[in-house]
Amino acid sequence: MSSNDKQQSPEQAGEHLTEETTQAVHLTQGEIHAIQKALLFLKFECEETSSLLYAGSPLINSALSKLREADIHGDFSKQFHSRPSPHAEGFMRDKLERSYSEEHVPHERTEAQLNDIWQSCMFPFPATSYKQDSDPK
């Protein structure tokens, strides 16, 4: 290999890196399963309302989708997550409601914004429209 054939990082090559820059990553099936389980735990089992920052992240959802595509059991996972999950919906609804009530400065959200948040948080499960709890507490 000549000195001109050296591998360079994108930064060394003068490329501008953004959130959209892609990199090849090689994972074992065990690593793919572990990451998927961690992401699903974060979304549907972690009680901390601060986890919603990641649970509803389009970037996290995109990574989860790509991991499912690379998973040898991805078809099973897609089939499993294609059905509504009353447990996951109840858990996520409670976590979102707690998060909204904990806000120091309440944010006004439109119905469309609430639905976008709900859909993102519920991925990979299908979800009906978000309905806020109308019971005053």
Side-chain angles (χ1 to χ4, degrees):
M1 179 154 97
S2 73
S3 61
N4 293 340
D5 295 336
K6 284 185 182 177
Q7 293 269 346
Q8 292 184 332
S9 72
E11 293 99 344
Q12 292 169 329
E15 293 179 25
H16 180 68
L17 299 180
T18 69
E19 255 182 20
E20 302 300 318
T21 303
T22 61
Q23 298 289 331
V25 176
H26 301 279
L27 302 172
T28 66
Q29 284 298 303
E31 291 167 332
I32 289 170
H33 291 157
I35 294 168
Q36 287 181 97
K37 286 181 181 183
L39 294 176
L40 292 171
F41 173 85
L42 176 73
K43 290 171 86 66
F44 302 111
E45 295 181 46
C46 181
E47 296 280 345
E48 298 293 323
T49 56
S50 59
S51 70
L52 288 166
L53 176 64
Y54 305 104
S57 166
L59 295 172
I60 295 290
N61 288 343
S62 175
L64 181 56
S65 184
K66 290 174 184 176
L67 287 165
R68 288 169 26 145
E69 289 298 322
D71 187 353
I72 60 173
H73 303 293
D75 288 339
F76 171 78
S77 180
K78 289 177 199 170
Q79 182 181 6
F80 177 80
H81 292 117
S82 70
R83 296 183 298 267
S85 171
H87 173 75
E89 285 187 23
F91 179 85
M92 188 58 68
R93 187 173 306 285
D94 289 346
K95 188 156 77 166
L96 282 168
E97 292 296 332
R98 278 188 290 117
S99 173
Y100 296 152
S101 69
E102 291 170 0
E103 291 177 340
H104 295 291
V105 179
H107 292 78
E108 291 293 323
R109 294 175 180 89
T110 66
E111 189 173 329
Q113 289 170 325
L114 290 170
N115 276 314
D116 287 346
I117 293 166
W118 175 247
Q119 297 294 325
S120 292
C121 287
M122 283 303 298
F123 180 84
F125 291 105
T128 59
S129 295
Y130 182 77
K131 294 175 184 65
Q132 262 188 308
D133 187 4
S134 59
D135 296 334
K137 294 182 180 184

